[in-house]
Amino acid sequence: MKHISIIKYLLPGMLTIAACTDLDEKDLLYDNVRSDDFYKTPEEFASAVGAAYTNLYNLGGNNHMIPLNEVTTDEVVVPTRGADWGDGGHWVRLQQHTYVPTDPTPNNAWNMLYAGVATCNRVMAQLEEKATDTVLAATFISELRAVRAVYYYWLLDMFGNVPLSIDFSITEPLPNSSRQEVYDFVEQELLENAPRLPRNGPGDGPYYGRVNYYTCYAVLAKLYLNAQVYTGTAQWDKALAACDTILNSTVGYMLSPDYREIFSRNNTGNPEIIWAIPSDAVYATGFNLSMMTLHPLNQSTYNMSAQPWNGFATIQEFYQSYIDPVQNPGPQGRVIGTSPAGDSVTGTLDNRLSNFLVGPQFDAAGNRLLDGGADATDPNGPPLTFTPYINELQPNAWRQAGARIGKYEFYSGMTADLDNDLVVFRYADVMLMKAEALARKNGNWNDAVALALVNQIRTVHGGVTPFTTMDADKFLAERGREMFIESMRRQDLIRFGKYNSAWRFHPPDASTHVNIFPIPADQINANPNLDQNPGY
């Protein structure tokens, strides 16, 4: 647990409020406040606005954003390991793009995002009705409108045609709005409200973890970069301007000299982080990556209080993309990725291989872990060894198969919930967005500025040789190496026309309707005004 709790980050001043109003921490975290005697001080305003953020704690779990944006791609796979992770074929359907309206994860994401929208609408209505300081209320309403726009950006990206619920007094079910209408709404809300928000930089300040001016422009950059997908009209100049708003700022954002520090247990205030969800094993739970990816025996590796679930792994070819097989392996070179098929790779190692856990596994005392439940056909046998090779997607993937996700620091004494802040937007991503927008605008992937931006990241974070030339495929691969497991890959593959291509465990898609998810059956059953997305 952090020495300074989540309460400081999202809900500043609440401990003082608790002393005045006799509210406990649970009341404050979930905004169970009596609005008749509330909204009188800046601290009370902030505590109420904090409720709009609490749904975001779910972003780091195994049933919302990460599965939809990663398990559907060539980065992450959840093999069916005998009786584990079958779940009615849901994880296989995500990987093979055969998802259906009754699948649980799209419904979970829909509910989480619309719960956030509803909270924003509710608190705004309370502020407008109850607040006596209308000037102060206006500032917090601008923040809530920006947070709501972020929720709608994700809905726009994943579901396309969704209802625009912006008035808390309207209770009847709403019909779908078009993707263009939702796009226009998100753009307008961010542009209108960003100038009213603080322009603070990285650090452990009272605004850390909240949407600020630069968060708005990070979302705008994403919106414009994907505008051609969303609306049919490219917006490269707008994307460049949004990126430059962040890159040219003087508040302290910069490329972190240490890639691993961005994702460490104590990553609060890292200069690369534009927006993160402050996670805490006690006050702000929900970031479950260690549980999602580690083997049950790794409980003794990290002295964990809970036994991991042995699910999420990396597809072999993606893991191997971090090795340059053309260059001489040199002193760092080693053979990796060995499989019964003999597909091994040697090469120069990218420092960002820290994104993964491979090889023999040990307990905290240094003793070799032995998996008595290992499949008899697994050539590695009982000694627990994570191998990049995965023998099959289903039904009997080996318990040890798959490089595991180690991007965020795992530490001794972990609970089921990590202390690491979950990074949402960061500086390197903005650099890559600018490079891509320049290349696409100029029709030249070897644009000098674009190449320099990519090579700066390769040098600082990867420690590998800069590119001398670049094309779309090389850029996409580099973006994948840098942004692994940050819920960007699905969006990136769609933008580059690769989401419907074949990769290991994923045959090519016959139709691009899978580029947005089905509107969940539960939502259509509850709202007769909703129309299903085409193709489902």
Side-chain angles (χ1 to χ4, degrees), residues 323-329 345-348:
I323 295 90
D324 183 350
V326 177
Q327 301 184 44
N328 188 315
V345 176
T346 60
T348 300

Side-chain angles (χ1 to χ4, degrees), residues 163-182:
L164 275 174
S165 174
I166 58 177
D167 187 340
F168 190 66
S169 67
I170 297 177
T171 58
E172 62 266 22
L174 296 171
N176 311 67
S177 295
S178 70
R179 208 175 197 186
Q180 178 73 61
E181 289 171 328
V182 182

Side-chain angles (χ1 to χ4, degrees), residues 425-446:
F425 299 119
R426 62 185 177 93
Y427 195 83
D429 187 17
V430 179
M431 293 173 65
L432 289 169
M433 287 195 286
K434 178 175 181 176
E436 182 180 342
L438 279 170
R440 292 187 183 278
K441 175 187 175 181
N442 297 330
N444 178 18
W445 286 97
N446 289 310

Side-chain angles (χ1 to χ4, degrees), residues 107-119:
N107 191 50
N108 292 336
W110 180 287
N111 283 331
M112 183 267 289
L113 295 171
Y114 268 108
V117 168
T119 302

Side-chain angles (χ1 to χ4, degrees), residues 188-378:
Q188 177 184 336
E189 289 292 283
L190 292 171
L191 287 174
E192 185 174 329
N193 290 286
R196 303 167 184 168
L197 300 180
R199 304 189 184 199
N200 55 299
D204 183 11
Y207 224 86
Y208 180 77
R210 292 163 64 180
V211 169
N212 68 10
Y213 177 83
Y214 297 106
T215 308
C216 290
Y217 274 91
V219 180
L220 282 166
K222 288 287 180 190
L223 191 73
Y224 295 140
L225 192 70
N226 294 282
Q228 194 163 31
V229 172
Y230 297 155
T231 71
T233 302
Q235 299 288 357
W236 308 126
D237 284 329
K238 287 185 176 181
L240 287 169
C243 290
D244 282 339
T245 297
I246 298 169
L247 297 178
N248 295 336
S249 70
T250 58
V251 295
Y253 296 117
M254 59 179 288
L255 201 64
S256 173
D258 187 336
Y259 183 73
R260 297 210 66 180
E261 284 298 314
I262 306 168
F263 311 99
S264 68
R265 181 184 184 184
N266 297 310
N267 60 346
T268 299
N270 184 282
E272 187 153 325
I273 297 175
I274 297 167
W275 190 39
I277 308 306
S279 301
D280 185 279
V282 175
Y283 295 109
T285 59
F287 190 10
N288 305 134
L289 183 60
S290 57
M291 299 294 290
M292 293 154 59
T293 191
L294 292 176
H295 188 282
L297 292 179
N298 286 128
Q299 182 177 14
S300 64
T301 304
Y302 301 99
N303 291 319
M304 299 176 67
S305 62
Q307 190 175 73
W309 306 325
N310 200 33
F312 287 54
T314 301
I315 294 175
Q316 180 177 350
E317 285 77 8
F318 186 83
Y319 170 83
Q320 290 177 336
S321 74
Y322 286 73
I323 295 90
D324 183 350
V326 177
Q327 301 184 44
N328 188 315
Q332 285 188 305
R334 58 186 174 91
V335 177
I336 64 163
T338 303
S339 78
D343 47 348
S344 63
V345 176
T346 60
T348 300
L349 305 186
D350 191 311
N351 289 337
R352 293 167 295 185
L353 269 172
S354 61
N355 285 341
F356 310 102
L357 297 175
V358 294
Q361 298 298 296
F362 303 87
D363 65 18
N367 301 308
R368 192 78 160 84
L369 293 175
L370 301 177
D371 183 6
D375 191 289
T377 63
D378 187 340

Side-chain angles (χ1 to χ4, degrees), residues 38 44 66 68 118 122 124 144 163 173 187 221 228 252 264 273 299 350 354 356 386 389 431 449-450 485 519 527 533:
F38 213 61
E44 289 175 341
I66 292 177
L68 292 182
R122 173 177 59 81
M124 278 192 280
L144 288 164
E187 179 186 28
Q228 194 163 31
S264 68
I273 297 175
Q299 182 177 14
D350 191 311
S354 61
F356 310 102
F386 294 148
Y389 175 74
M431 293 173 65
V449 175
I485 206 63
I519 294 179
N527 179 359
N533 283 329

